[in-house]
Amino acid sequence: MELFLKDIRNVNNANRHYAQKRKIISLLNKAENPLTIPGICKKVKLSIPTGTKLINELIETQIIVEVGKMETENGRRPSVYKVDPDYAYCIGVVILLKGISFSIFNLEMNEVYKFDNNDFILENTSKCLADVIAFIGNSISDSKIDLNKILGVGIGITGRINSQTGNSYNYFNFLESSLTSHLSEQLSVPVYIDNDTHVLGIAEQFFGEAKNVKNAFVVNLSRGLGLSIIANGEIVIGEQGFAGEFGHIQFAESDKLCLCGKRGCLGTEVSGYALEQNFKEQVQSGEISLLLNSKDISEIQYGDILKAAWEGDALSISLIHKMGFLIGKALGNMVNFLNPGIIIIGGKFVSAKEVLIDSIKSGMTHTALSLPLRSCELIFSSIGTDAAIKGAGAIVLCKLQLI
């Protein structure tokens, strides 16, 4: 992986060739179709002799492969080339309050290995950090993929993250160095981190509904509530990387205490955690649910409630409707403020699309001005519930300009 990871800031002929090869690989990995040698040279602004020499060297090291011939009306058909997608890999990891996920992707961002630990509990302790490192290390080993072919690890973690400095402020904040420095040293590969909601936004921007969209909101509605804001084609991270704490805007219609220590946060009424609490409160006040036929109330999690709503459970449907209306009202205010062209609902609540969509639209109608609302499309993520881990892996390829 020297070609991708070598420091080439010192100007000399060898490093110039490294830089030119990186441009060739970047071009081919981003291209929708394979290219000819003259086509590659033209796009990276190299002479045919120089470009041919560099491309042949990349072919010899099996980074670039011939994949066919270009169709022409007459004459000799030139060969076309692309990057071998399995020459190198990136890793995506998502660390949530309950659960940690690991995936390996090739250069085309196709998943080649996956492992989840749903028994994991995130804590701000040295032991938990050691468990995370062991989980990642063991997963790499179990995948049978050579560590030397790993370009890096992208991690999405809940809480406040400064992706520029690599610091995590809610979890693993006791280190003398940054979290990325510590993990890179322990895992022997480059590590990049960001907030779990930002990596969801990255996934939608590169692979989902926000592709080629300049202004969008990507809502991360799972156990918590977050928002990725895409403005003029860029994800807004803020001065220290904290932009998008949608769950902490003061909007809720209750006096519930939030995990942040404040009351009235939207996340206390709109989130998986809130759904669990509201469900238990309703049952304790006398409401009934089909879920109680198969599980004790103490065992019921928000995923069970989402599934029950899909199956027609009246209490679950009612709670999700109320939640949809509340988040719709909050999003309507945001529509007035930033005028997005599209709002994408992502996270685990995507499975409740049919239950949520009308109530969200109704809430937005209550608060949004008619003109910006009319030009704003509300859709649900098409990537699926694993979008965040794909975004985490994409961080690595973004850093290396391979996507």
Side-chain angles (χ1 to χ4, degrees):
M1 297 300 104
E2 182 183 29
L3 177 60
F4 297 99
L5 304 178
K6 178 180 170 62
D7 185 348
I8 60 172
R9 285 174 292 183
N10 292 332
V11 179
N12 56 49
N13 284 337
N15 284 347
R16 187 158 45 247
H17 286 161
Y18 273 111
Q20 291 167 336
K21 286 180 178 179
R22 285 183 186 178
K23 286 182 180 179
I24 292 169
I25 296 168
S26 175
L27 168 69
L28 286 176
N29 211 57
K30 293 175 182 177
E32 293 185 3
N33 299 301
L35 298 172
T36 63
I37 289 179
I40 295 169
C41 293
K42 181 178 180 181
K43 288 181 179 293
V44 297
K45 298 180 180 179
L46 289 173
S47 67
I48 295 293
T50 299
T52 301
K53 177 179 180 295
L54 295 173
I55 291 167
N56 283 333
E57 289 176 3
L58 291 170
I59 293 171
E60 288 173 9
T61 52
Q62 299 181 323
I63 301 176
I64 288 177
V65 292
E66 181 182 339
V67 291
K69 303 286 185 180
M70 174 179 280
E71 293 296 331
T72 58
E73 293 183 359
N74 49 52
R76 183 180 177 183
R77 294 191 301 159
S79 298
V80 291
Y81 300 89
K82 64 177 286 187
V83 176
D84 177 2
D86 294 315
Y87 175 76
Y89 302 90
C90 63
I91 293 174
V93 176
V94 173
I95 305 172
L96 302 177
L97 292 174
K98 292 185 177 181
I100 180 170
S101 300
F102 172 100
S103 290
I104 298 180
F105 302 92
N106 67 12
L107 292 178
E108 291 181 344
M109 286 305 297
N110 293 320
E111 190 176 65
V112 298
Y113 182 82
K114 177 179 177 61
F115 185 71
D116 297 329
N117 179 0
N118 294 320
D119 295 325
F120 172 85
I121 302 294
L122 179 59
E123 297 174 333
N124 190 32
T125 63
S126 298
K127 182 184 181 304
C128 185
L129 178 56
D131 289 344
V132 168
I133 294 169
F135 171 81
I136 297 172
N138 291 337
S139 297
I140 294 172
S141 178
D142 292 344
S143 74
K144 307 302 182 186
I145 289 176
D146 187 348
L147 182 63
N148 292 324
K149 300 189 77 172
I150 303 296
L151 294 171
V153 179
I155 298 177
I157 181 172
T158 189
R160 255 65 72 202
I161 302 294
N162 187 327
S163 60
Q164 305 302 311
T165 64
N167 287 305
S168 172
Y169 293 93
N170 293 93
Y171 296 96
F172 314 138
N173 55 13
F174 45 77
L175 298 168
E176 293 184 3
S177 60
S178 69
L179 180 58
T180 51
S181 296
H182 181 76
L183 292 174
S184 296
E185 181 181 346
Q186 295 294 314
L187 296 169
S188 301
V189 292
V191 174
Y192 312 95
I193 64 169
D194 208 333
N195 173 268
D196 61 312
T197 296
H198 288 169
V199 299
L200 183 67
I202 291 170
E204 293 294 344
Q205 190 177 34
F206 281 98
F207 316 111
E209 302 293 347
K211 194 172 184 179
N212 302 319
V213 175
K214 282 195 170 184
N215 300 289
F217 293 162
V218 181
V219 179
N220 183 11
L221 183 50
S222 295
R223 172 157 285 275
L225 174 63
L227 180 70
S228 276
I229 302 168
I230 300 173
N232 297 320
E234 299 287 338
I235 291 181
V236 177
I237 62 172
E239 184 67 23
Q240 292 181 293
F242 303 157
E245 291 290 352
F246 191 41
H248 294 288
I249 64 172
Q250 297 293 297
F251 194 83
E253 298 176 355
S254 75
D255 197 36
K256 292 180 180 178
L257 182 66
C258 180
L259 293 173
C260 72
K262 296 181 174 60
R263 298 184 186 275
C265 291
L266 180 62
T268 63
E269 290 294 336
V270 180
S271 64
Y273 174 79
L275 184 58
E276 292 173 359
Q277 299 306 306
N278 292 340
F279 181 88
K280 290 173 182 176
E281 287 175 6
Q282 290 296 307
V283 169
Q284 288 165 358
S285 67
E287 293 288 345
I288 59 173
S289 167
L290 294 174
L291 271 174
L292 299 175
N293 295 333
S294 58
K295 283 193 173 185
D296 185 82
I297 190 171
S298 63
E299 299 174 335
I300 292 172
Q301 299 185 5
Y302 76 91
D304 301 318
I305 303 170
L306 297 177
K307 186 173 183 292
W310 173 253
E311 294 172 349
D313 181 59
L315 176 58
S316 300
I317 292 170
S318 174
L319 291 173
I320 293 170
H321 274 165
K322 291 177 182 177
M323 190 172 288
F325 184 75
L326 277 177
I327 194 174
K329 287 177 68 177
L331 286 171
N333 283 328
M334 295 292 288
V335 166
N336 295 340
F337 187 53
L338 289 174
N339 188 204
I342 189 171
I343 295 175
I344 303 161
I345 307 296
K348 302 295 184 182
F349 274 68
V350 168
S351 63
K353 171 184 175 181
E354 302 303 327
V355 184
L356 270 173
I357 190 165
D358 288 337
S359 57
I360 294 176
K361 286 181 177 179
S362 179
M364 290 173 65
T365 303
H366 271 70
T367 53
L369 295 170
S370 59
L371 284 177
L373 181 61
R374 205 175 300 157
S375 63
C376 179
E377 183 182 6
L378 175 70
I379 59 177
F380 281 69
S381 174
S382 60
I383 304 177
T385 56
D386 291 331
I389 201 163
K390 195 167 187 178
I395 294 175
V396 179
L397 300 193
C398 284
K399 294 289 184 180
L400 299 173
Q401 299 183 333
L402 290 170
I403 58 175

